[in-house]
mmCIF file of all heavy atoms in Angstrom:
data_model
loop_
_atom_site.group_PDB
_atom_site.id
_atom_site.type_symbol
_atom_site.label_atom_id
_atom_site.label_comp_id
_atom_site.label_asym_id
_atom_site.label_seq_id
_atom_site.Cartn_x
_atom_site.Cartn_y
_atom_site.Cartn_z
ATOM 1 N N ALA A 58 110.661 100.290 106.982
ATOM 2 C CA ALA A 58 112.130 99.938 106.834
ATOM 3 C C ALA A 58 112.925 101.277 106.351
ATOM 4 O O ALA A 58 114.059 101.321 106.671
ATOM 5 C CB ALA A 58 112.302 98.834 105.690
ATOM 6 N N VAL A 59 112.212 102.110 105.587
ATOM 7 C CA VAL A 59 112.768 103.288 105.204
ATOM 8 C C VAL A 59 112.233 104.425 106.084
ATOM 9 O O VAL A 59 111.048 104.693 106.295
ATOM 10 C CB VAL A 59 112.416 103.593 103.702
ATOM 11 C CG1 VAL A 59 112.984 105.002 103.264
ATOM 12 C CG2 VAL A 59 112.891 102.527 102.879
ATOM 13 N N PRO A 60 113.285 105.209 106.737
ATOM 14 C CA PRO A 60 112.732 106.351 107.560
ATOM 15 C C PRO A 60 112.059 107.472 106.770
ATOM 16 O O PRO A 60 112.458 107.856 105.728
ATOM 17 C CB PRO A 60 114.023 106.796 108.134
ATOM 18 C CG PRO A 60 115.113 106.368 107.400
ATOM 19 C CD PRO A 60 114.723 105.178 106.577
ATOM 20 N N ALA A 61 111.101 108.024 107.543
ATOM 21 C CA ALA A 61 110.373 109.168 106.829
ATOM 22 C C ALA A 61 111.126 110.331 106.929
ATOM 23 O O ALA A 61 111.825 110.541 107.964
ATOM 24 C CB ALA A 61 108.878 109.330 107.556
ATOM 25 N N ARG A 62 111.001 111.366 106.001
ATOM 26 C CA ARG A 62 111.640 112.515 106.068
ATOM 27 C C ARG A 62 110.760 113.612 105.305
ATOM 28 O O ARG A 62 109.855 113.213 104.575
ATOM 29 C CB ARG A 62 113.084 112.541 105.445
ATOM 30 C CG ARG A 62 113.061 112.070 104.088
ATOM 31 C CD ARG A 62 114.431 111.575 103.623
ATOM 32 N NE ARG A 62 114.980 112.390 102.527
ATOM 33 C CZ ARG A 62 115.959 111.822 101.826
ATOM 34 N NH1 ARG A 62 116.506 110.725 102.019
ATOM 35 N NH2 ARG A 62 116.363 112.668 100.767
ATOM 36 N N THR A 63 110.912 114.803 105.570
ATOM 37 C CA THR A 63 110.166 115.908 104.968
ATOM 38 C C THR A 63 110.756 116.007 103.505
ATOM 39 O O THR A 63 111.853 116.204 103.202
ATOM 40 C CB THR A 63 110.205 117.228 105.786
ATOM 41 O OG1 THR A 63 109.766 116.968 107.101
ATOM 42 C CG2 THR A 63 109.463 118.355 105.042
ATOM 43 N N VAL A 64 109.869 116.145 102.497
ATOM 44 C CA VAL A 64 110.087 116.251 101.058
ATOM 45 C C VAL A 64 109.471 117.513 100.694
ATOM 46 O O VAL A 64 108.249 117.770 100.800
ATOM 47 C CB VAL A 64 109.673 115.169 100.289
ATOM 48 C CG1 VAL A 64 109.866 115.478 98.778
ATOM 49 C CG2 VAL A 64 110.247 113.865 100.797
ATOM 50 N N LEU A 65 110.325 118.507 100.186
ATOM 51 C CA LEU A 65 109.776 119.788 99.816
ATOM 52 C C LEU A 65 109.584 119.592 98.086
ATOM 53 O O LEU A 65 110.651 119.264 97.526
ATOM 54 C CB LEU A 65 110.715 120.998 100.021
ATOM 55 C CG LEU A 65 110.737 121.367 101.569
ATOM 56 C CD1 LEU A 65 111.789 122.424 101.648
ATOM 57 C CD2 LEU A 65 109.466 121.574 102.077
ATOM 58 N N LEU A 66 108.512 119.981 97.694
ATOM 59 C CA LEU A 66 108.283 119.840 96.233
ATOM 60 C C LEU A 66 108.060 121.182 95.680
ATOM 61 O O LEU A 66 107.078 121.908 95.916
ATOM 62 C CB LEU A 66 107.055 118.953 95.917
ATOM 63 C CG LEU A 66 107.206 117.433 95.893
ATOM 64 C CD1 LEU A 66 105.775 116.901 95.517
ATOM 65 C CD2 LEU A 66 108.198 117.066 94.828
ATOM 66 N N ALA A 67 108.932 121.572 94.709
ATOM 67 C CA ALA A 67 108.833 122.823 94.031
ATOM 68 C C ALA A 67 107.730 122.618 92.934
ATOM 69 O O ALA A 67 107.360 121.551 92.540
ATOM 70 C CB ALA A 67 110.154 123.219 93.315
ATOM 71 N N PRO A 68 107.130 123.678 92.415
ATOM 72 C CA PRO A 68 106.107 123.517 91.392
ATOM 73 C C PRO A 68 106.671 122.692 90.170
ATOM 74 O O PRO A 68 107.818 122.976 89.703
ATOM 75 C CB PRO A 68 105.864 124.879 90.834
ATOM 76 C CG PRO A 68 106.174 125.804 92.101
ATOM 77 C CD PRO A 68 107.182 125.010 92.733
ATOM 78 N N GLY A 69 106.042 121.688 89.834
ATOM 79 C CA GLY A 69 106.329 120.704 88.699
ATOM 80 C C GLY A 69 107.303 119.589 89.132
ATOM 81 O O GLY A 69 107.618 118.798 88.290
ATOM 82 N N ALA A 70 107.842 119.657 90.323
ATOM 83 C CA ALA A 70 108.745 118.634 90.822
ATOM 84 C C ALA A 70 107.968 117.350 91.217
ATOM 85 O O ALA A 70 106.761 117.467 91.516
ATOM 86 C CB ALA A 70 109.537 119.160 91.954
ATOM 87 N N THR A 71 108.728 116.246 91.275
ATOM 88 C CA THR A 71 108.099 115.027 91.606
ATOM 89 C C THR A 71 108.814 114.311 92.708
ATOM 90 O O THR A 71 110.070 114.392 92.793
ATOM 91 C CB THR A 71 108.084 114.004 90.318
ATOM 92 O OG1 THR A 71 107.345 114.676 89.286
ATOM 93 C CG2 THR A 71 107.594 112.675 90.538
#
Side-chain angles (χ1 to χ4, degrees):
V59 176
R62 57 197 239 201
T63 301
V64 175
L65 297 177
L66 273 182
T71 298

